[in-house]
Amino acid sequence: SRLLGAVRWVLSFIGLDFSLRVFGWLAETKLWLQRLVTRKSSTDRIFSKSELQEILHLVLEVHGFELFFSPYFNGDPHPGNILMMEGDRIGLIDFGQCVALSEQDKRGVAELLLALTDDKADRKAADARIAKAFFDTGIRTKNSDPDFAAALAKLMFCRLTADVLDRQKMHALFTSDKVDYFPMHVMMAYRTSMLLRGLCLVLQENVSTAHAWAPWAEKWLKAHPAIE
């Protein structure tokens, strides 16, 4: 549509980081206006942006723990399923979309997260490791293209970059290969990553789910060494 095209052009022109600041300012303005027009009782609490950012980072960490150390992983942490309770406690509700990960499932996701957060390797070696870990999770693609695998894994779990606004680059990527099979546990982890990153973006936090969850992945791998 023309509107979508205009939005893409504006974002490409002013850049992703500045766009996030603009969206954050609009969100803050909305909250400020709500304070003016909404009558609050003495027991109600309006959280600052920094407090909400801290809360979302905690929710992000909780889901990383849940992914590796809980019997079930909840893949539906949308805003309606996150409650602020009395005493500034956080309530997570509606565990209707859960998945139980096997040890093999957890190992595959853990290795992928560690590959995505390996900042010491050169780019070619890092992408090769990411692609291998991506396919080792059980994902299958039509052409088994390692470049496609590495790029898609970054889109799923890393910070968003300006590349996502490049229509030609994204078109070339998604015409080079396509996913034929997505294991449910990877799909749920990806869904959770997208939902939580989206919440953080509203507060100008462009987070990497991979970096948030990698410490839990490393801890789980140390507790469950692979049997040669």
Side-chain angles (χ1 to χ4, degrees):
S1 68
R2 291 184 179 180
L3 178 59
L4 182 58
V7 171
R8 285 173 174 167
W9 183 87
V10 170
L11 292 178
S12 299
F13 181 75
I14 66 177
L16 181 62
D17 290 337
F18 183 74
S19 301
L20 292 177
R21 288 197 293 271
V22 172
F23 293 147
W25 177 81
L26 292 174
E28 287 183 83
T29 302
K30 181 180 178 181
L31 288 173
W32 180 76
L33 290 173
Q34 286 177 334
R35 293 182 187 185
L36 292 180
V37 302
T38 305
R39 297 184 63 181
K40 293 288 182 180
S41 68
S42 59
T43 58
D44 286 332
R45 174 98 147 80
I46 297 178
F47 292 86
S48 68
K49 186 180 76 172
S50 62
E51 288 175 318
L52 290 174
Q53 288 173 334
E54 183 178 351
I55 289 168
L56 286 179
H57 277 279
L58 177 59
V59 171
L60 192 61
E61 289 283 340
V62 165
H63 283 80
F65 171 84
E66 193 179 281
L67 179 60
F68 294 104
F69 293 99
S70 294
Y72 295 95
F73 174 72
N74 178 33
D76 195 29
H78 63 73
N81 287 342
I82 303 173
L83 303 181
M84 292 308 305
M85 304 170 65
E86 292 184 3
D88 292 351
R89 293 177 300 153
I90 304 169
L92 303 178
I93 64 170
D94 190 3
F95 281 60
Q97 295 191 46
C98 289
V99 62
L101 280 74
S102 67
E103 185 169 312
Q104 182 180 355
D105 295 338
K106 293 180 180 181
R107 188 174 306 281
V109 175
E111 293 290 358
L112 177 59
L113 294 175
L114 293 184
L116 287 166
T117 55
D118 183 3
D119 301 323
K120 297 181 180 179
D122 64 85
R123 182 173 179 179
K124 185 175 181 180
D127 283 353
R129 181 185 175 188
I130 292 170
K132 181 181 184 303
F134 181 83
F135 288 122
D136 285 348
T137 64
I139 297 174
R140 294 197 298 268
T141 68
K142 181 179 180 181
N143 301 322
S144 301
D145 184 344
D147 292 334
F148 172 83
L152 185 57
K154 293 174 187 177
L155 283 173
M156 290 165 59
F157 295 107
C158 293
R159 293 178 75 250
L160 296 178
T161 65
D163 288 346
V164 301
L165 304 175
D166 189 327
R167 294 183 65 184
Q168 290 185 338
K169 184 174 291 187
M170 289 296 99
H171 182 268
L173 173 65
F174 287 104
T175 54
S176 65
D177 204 349
K178 68 175 184 177
V179 175
D180 283 338
Y181 175 69
F182 229 133
M184 182 57 66
H185 69 283
V186 183
M187 177 67 74
M188 296 292 271
Y190 167 46
R191 172 182 167 80
T192 299
S193 173
M194 294 295 288
L195 286 170
L196 294 178
R197 282 191 309 178
L199 280 172
C200 291
L201 281 172
V202 172
L203 296 169
Q204 300 173 264
E205 286 283 297
N206 188 7
V207 301
S208 165
T209 314
H211 283 81
W213 291 353
W216 295 115
E218 186 173 15
K219 185 175 182 178
W220 186 89
L221 286 172
K222 286 182 179 178
H224 301 81
I227 300 176
E228 300 294 340

